[in-house]
Amino acid sequence: MDDGKIFYITTPIYYVNDIPHIGHAYTTTACDAIARYKRMKGYDVFFLTGTDEHGQKIQSAAEAKGETPQQLVDRVHQKFRELCTLLNASNDDFIRTTEERHIKAVQAVFRQLMEQGDIYKGTYTGYYCVPDETYIPENSMGPNKTCPDCGRPLTLMEEESYFFRASKYVPQLIDYYEHNLKAVMPKIRYNEIMSFLKSGVHDQSVSRTSLKWGVPVPGDERHVVYVWFDALVNYMTAAGYLDDREKFARYWPHVRHMVGKDIIRFHCVIWPLMLIALGADLPVEVFAHGWWTVDGEKMSKTRKNVVDPFKVVNEYGLDPFRYFMLREVPFGNDGDFSELSLVGRINSDLANDLGNLLNRTLQMIRSYRGGKVPGSPGKSELSEMSAAILERYDTAMNEYAFDVALKAVWEFIGRSNKFIDETMPWKLAKEEAQSSRLDYVLLNLYEALRFTALLIAPVMPDTSARIWSQLGLEGEPVKMMIDAFRWGDGEGAAIGKSEVLFPRIDIEAWKEKRKMQEEAAKIPHEPEISIDDFKTVEMRVARITKCEEIPKSKKLYKLEVDLGYETRTVCSGIKAFFTPEELTGRRVILVTNLKPVKLCGVESNGMILCASVKKDGVSEQLTLIAPEDENIPLGSRVS
Ligand code: MSP
């Protein structure tokens, strides 16, 4: 393989203090699309993801859950592995920072920097944001000494600490960025980083004595390595920094990090300064994507609007989700996640544009040519357009402009659908003299689909494979080389079995269902109880033997209830729904161990179970609960 065609791409490693959300799914999907694209362009790709498992955040989360940090990370990291599987991510490695290979690498890096005098011991005093695990410089604090990022109160801390001599290498980094204008992307982030660097960078505290859950500092185990120092090294560990120098030499010079915009200072300032100190190559590029809001609001646990990728994929399918995330928002910008927009894209782009093109084309090849793709020499408008589309697509994919790349593909799909309307193959099929024209139309449509399947493969690998098989083609499109595509090669193929790619979602029914779900979410629920709690409620089968009005009450009846072994008096607020005649003789379920209460002067010794529909706390509809089997004896226990 040509050495220039090596591509090493990383996601950030995810904190395991909580379960995955769409923000995590987003970075992984974007990296996966790029990794797949590069492989289809003949690159040797190494795609890394993983979990960040040390530090205060994790220790606090474990304490809150009554687990050891190890138990917590072992449990939650599994969810991130499952996320990779869910997303069909093609990562080549999954690193955990608690793995031995990583701990050794962090200690080796720390030791080297210490030996060369780039890490020294000192005292650190500063305002610390515990949840964000970062000291906040006084000039950046929010009002009342709060964290400028998360708004939470800061804690004044003083501790002995090791420091990384970051300041020493700042001029070198500025020089690097001045000569590598695309090393931080998009441009707005580059500018942000440059002005930050030029405003000066302090030496960085890189160890903690205040916590135990971390990598021990080599030679001074009272300290653990600061979680960000530890985490950033993961990119080197997995590339074989310690245990596979050949692999490291191969991939490291081609490393690119994809991160959210919130963590660029760590990736574009601290990390490259560490790398300069270590004498290692700097990342070719750090690309910062934007943040997702949900229905216009910031995603947060307190707002209860955190979107669970497992739920979304379960409901709408994986590829629609992948497509939506990469198509909806220019990569680098913030975006808003709304299920309605997702449903809109499924119906218009996927079911209508792509699904119809496939259906109509295959159906015509089946009806007019017995399922065999005809030949037809020469160029067509579609074949010429495909070359221009590919160029736009490649440029966009290389810039991570997924939305632009997908727009280009859908422009092509749109043109192909129009080609059907214009050429009217159903008319051509009726005239013998138009037979070669019909061949031309059908071949070109088939080729348009074969081409489309290849281009969507990085973003929608599964859909692409389904189209491929319906086209009657062998192998998997994700394993094909995009540039090996030749217009016309599809001639002679026997098409496969057709199936609907994306069923249309009935918007009205969908809205109705959503409304019901929203209503259901509003239903107040009682807190969880144990089976033993439940067993304390005694319920038995009984029969109403007498029903009388209570003169003072509008709602209550005085009932005499037979339990087989005794008879009781019970007051029940069901007067609005039954006449005494309707109730007398009815079998019911009675709660028998409720404390007696006096209601309108009558002592009530139990409660009859009913199901009811309430509006504003008032029952609108009510029914008695009774055993189905007429023969079950009175007094039988309900459990
Ligand atoms: N552990 C660190 C990264 C260390 S990398 C050496 C971390 N983890 S994180 O789990 O908090 O965040 C991981 C990524 O998810 C970040 O890139 C962050 O930007 C991204 N997102 C978190 N919430 C997000 C959205 N609402 N939208 C998009 N991405 C978001 O930071």
Side-chain angles (χ1 to χ4, degrees):
M1 187 162 308
D2 168 10
D3 266 359
K5 289 198 122 186
I6 299 172
F7 198 80
Y8 175 19
I9 181 107
T10 70
T11 73
I13 46 173
Y14 304 114
Y15 282 131
V16 290
N17 58 320
D18 215 336
I19 53 170
H21 56 60
I22 48 162
H24 306 122
Y26 186 45
T27 329
T28 302
T29 303
C31 286
D32 185 57
I34 281 296
R36 288 176 183 275
Y37 168 71
K38 288 288 176 183
R39 289 191 197 106
M40 291 178 79
K41 290 298 263 189
Y43 280 72
D44 171 6
V45 172
F46 183 52
F47 167 20
L48 175 70
T49 187
T51 42
D52 191 352
E53 305 190 357
H54 287 130
Q56 188 65 53
K57 242 188 198 83
I58 308 293
Q59 189 170 302
S60 306
E63 277 160 18
K65 291 240 157 36
E67 286 176 297
T68 64
Q70 190 66 53
Q71 284 168 332
L72 176 93
V73 301
D74 286 346
R75 182 171 59 79
V76 183
H77 104 276
Q78 204 54 45
K79 298 271 172 236
F80 284 89
R81 282 195 195 272
E82 285 164 23
L83 179 70
C84 286
T85 311
L86 175 88
L87 296 173
N88 195 2
S90 60
N91 52 303
D92 299 288
D93 197 350
F94 185 105
I95 189 168
R96 301 179 61 186
T97 54
T98 50
E99 285 168 335
E100 196 58 31
R101 59 171 171 161
H102 178 66
I103 293 171
K104 282 193 179 141
V106 172
Q107 289 181 326
V109 166
F110 205 97
R111 199 175 297 114
Q112 183 189 329
L113 294 180
M114 204 145 50
E115 280 167 9
Q116 69 191 43
D118 281 330
I119 286 185
Y120 61 91
K121 203 190 256 183
T123 307
Y124 193 88
T125 313
Y127 285 94
Y128 191 69
C129 176
V130 177
D132 289 351
E133 312 220 27
T134 182
Y135 278 102
I136 306 291
E138 294 205 19
N139 58 6
S140 323
M141 288 195 299
N144 302 322
K145 302 198 168 69
T146 50
C147 173
D149 293 326
C150 69
R152 284 174 281 208
L154 300 171
T155 313
L156 184 63
M157 301 239 284
E158 185 179 287
E159 56 179 324
E160 180 186 279
S161 175
Y162 285 92
F163 284 83
F164 164 51
R165 223 177 273 287
S167 54
K168 178 173 154 193
Y169 297 104
V170 170
Q172 247 168 287
L173 185 56
I174 293 180
D175 184 64
Y176 175 77
Y177 284 149
E178 275 170 352
H179 291 93
N180 293 276
L181 301 178
K182 294 196 162 180
V184 178
M185 288 294 280
K187 193 79 198 149
I188 173 177
R189 304 294 165 212
Y190 175 92
N191 294 339
E192 215 176 293
I193 289 299
M194 280 307 253
S195 68
F196 180 73
L197 275 172
K198 286 178 182 165
S199 73
V201 176
H202 298 291
D203 288 354
Q204 298 289 309
S205 159
V206 290
S207 78
R208 298 281 180 268
T209 50
S210 51
L211 112 144
K212 291 270 155 301
W213 186 242
V215 177
V217 166
D220 190 355
E221 306 217 335
R222 287 173 306 118
H223 289 253
V224 295
V225 176
Y226 173 50
V227 63
W228 269 101
F229 186 101
D230 163 353
L232 289 161
V233 172
N234 91 85
Y235 303 130
M236 287 172 110
T237 309
Y241 180 63
L242 269 197
D243 51 18
D244 191 344
R245 293 307 292 183
E246 210 179 301
K247 179 176 174 188
F248 189 77
R250 180 167 185 78
Y251 290 110
W252 190 255
H254 306 278
V255 65
R256 289 150 196 269
H257 304 305
M258 203 175 270
V259 299
K261 64 179 185 180
D262 54 318
I263 53 175
I264 53 167
R265 281 197 193 165
F266 291 109
H267 283 86
C268 307
V269 177
I270 309 300
W271 179 227
L273 291 172
M274 284 166 67
L275 289 170
I276 295 175
L278 287 168
D281 286 324
L282 298 188
V284 181
E285 182 178 8
V286 177
F287 193 103
H289 64 70
W291 267 46
W292 285 98
T293 49
V294 176
D295 296 321
E297 288 197 23
K298 196 174 170 210
M299 198 164 58
S300 78
K301 262 192 150 174
T302 35
R303 286 196 178 89
K304 293 197 177 142
N305 64 350
V306 177
V307 180
D308 176 355
F310 290 89
K311 270 197 187 149
V312 180
V313 169
N314 206 1
E315 184 154 2
Y316 302 102
L318 173 61
D319 280 0
F321 177 56
R322 288 177 59 116
Y323 174 76
F324 174 80
M325 282 194 297
L326 298 182
R327 168 65 184 83
E328 187 72 359
V329 178
F331 203 59
N333 291 10
D334 290 340
D336 189 48
F337 184 89
S338 100
E339 279 184 43
L340 188 60
S341 321
L342 170 59
V343 170
R345 290 238 174 251
I346 292 176
N347 280 348
S348 66
D349 304 8
L350 302 183
N352 208 35
D353 301 346
L354 177 58
N356 275 347
L357 178 63
L358 180 70
N359 261 344
R360 293 160 89 190
T361 303
L362 292 185
Q363 206 177 332
M364 292 188 295
I365 295 176
R366 195 168 292 115
S367 315
Y368 307 142
R369 292 294 178 261
K372 196 163 168 230
V373 181
S376 176
K379 291 194 167 171
S380 74
E381 184 195 341
L382 288 182
S383 72
E384 274 169 13
M385 183 180 183
S386 74
I389 292 288
L390 182 58
E391 222 177 287
R392 279 165 58 193
Y393 171 88
D394 278 334
T395 309
M397 287 301 273
N398 284 321
E399 290 169 353
Y400 307 146
F402 305 103
D403 64 319
V404 178
L406 291 169
K407 249 185 245 166
V409 178
W410 257 258
E411 208 175 294
F412 182 71
I413 293 172
R415 186 67 200 94
S416 305
N417 271 320
K418 207 158 158 235
F419 183 74
I420 302 183
D421 303 338
E422 286 167 0
T423 54
M424 294 189 274
W426 50 93
K427 275 199 177 160
L428 302 177
K430 286 190 188 134
E431 294 170 46
E432 194 49 46
Q434 295 289 1
S435 178
S436 67
R437 169 95 178 135
L438 183 59
D439 283 349
Y440 162 86
V441 170
L442 295 179
L443 173 78
N444 278 289
L445 286 171
Y446 183 86
E447 290 302 80
L449 278 161
R450 204 164 62 88
F451 177 71
T452 301
L454 277 184
L455 265 48
I456 64 169
V459 174
M460 295 198 283
D462 182 49
T463 303
S464 157
R466 286 165 64 207
I467 297 177
W468 208 249
S469 111
Q470 294 193 40
L471 292 176
L473 298 165
E474 306 244 303
E476 280 181 67
V478 284
K479 297 211 173 114
M480 308 280 157
M481 290 297 123
I482 292 177
D483 296 329
F485 179 87
R486 293 282 165 273
W487 197 274
D489 283 0
E491 177 187 341
I495 61 167
K497 207 167 149 265
S498 286
E499 48 150 354
V500 174
L501 273 189
F502 300 100
R504 266 192 81 79
I505 298 173
D506 176 338
I507 287 277
E508 288 316 311
W510 180 87
K511 282 188 181 156
E512 197 50 40
K513 190 168 145 207
R514 282 300 302 248
K515 222 167 99 194
M516 279 166 65
Q517 283 170 343
E518 277 163 22
E519 286 301 316
K522 284 191 212 141
I523 296 175
H525 293 286
E526 304 296 339
E528 231 171 47
I529 57 167
S530 71
I531 184 76
D532 292 330
D533 294 333
F534 176 72
K535 279 184 188 158
T536 61
V537 182
E538 187 178 328
M539 292 174 286
R540 294 185 183 275
V541 176
R543 186 200 305 278
I544 300 172
T545 48
K546 205 165 156 191
C547 175
E548 289 172 23
E549 304 226 355
I550 301 175
K552 282 192 234 159
S553 172
K554 277 191 198 147
K555 291 186 187 159
L556 293 174
Y557 277 139
K558 178 181 165 193
L559 306 173
E560 211 171 86
V561 179
D562 182 7
L563 279 158
Y565 56 90
E566 70 175 64
T567 302
R568 292 195 182 186
T569 300
V570 170
C571 294
S572 183
I574 54 178
K575 196 165 164 181
F577 300 93
F578 305 98
T579 63
E581 294 71 37
E582 281 169 337
L583 288 174
T584 312
R586 289 284 289 270
R587 288 157 74 87
V588 290
I589 304 295
L590 185 74
V591 181
T592 55
N593 64 336
L594 276 180
K595 272 195 189 129
V597 280
K598 259 208 169 144
L599 298 170
C600 296
V602 181
E603 188 179 89
S604 178
N605 295 285
M607 186 177 77
I608 285 174
L609 293 191
C610 299
S612 63
V613 179
K614 288 194 168 144
K615 197 172 174 197
D616 303 325
V618 180
S619 297
E620 284 190 325
Q621 195 188 343
L622 184 139
T623 182
L624 295 172
I625 307 294
E628 235 178 55
D629 182 351
E630 281 288 319
N631 295 319
I632 190 116
L634 296 182
S636 302
R637 177 95 194 245
V638 176
S639 58

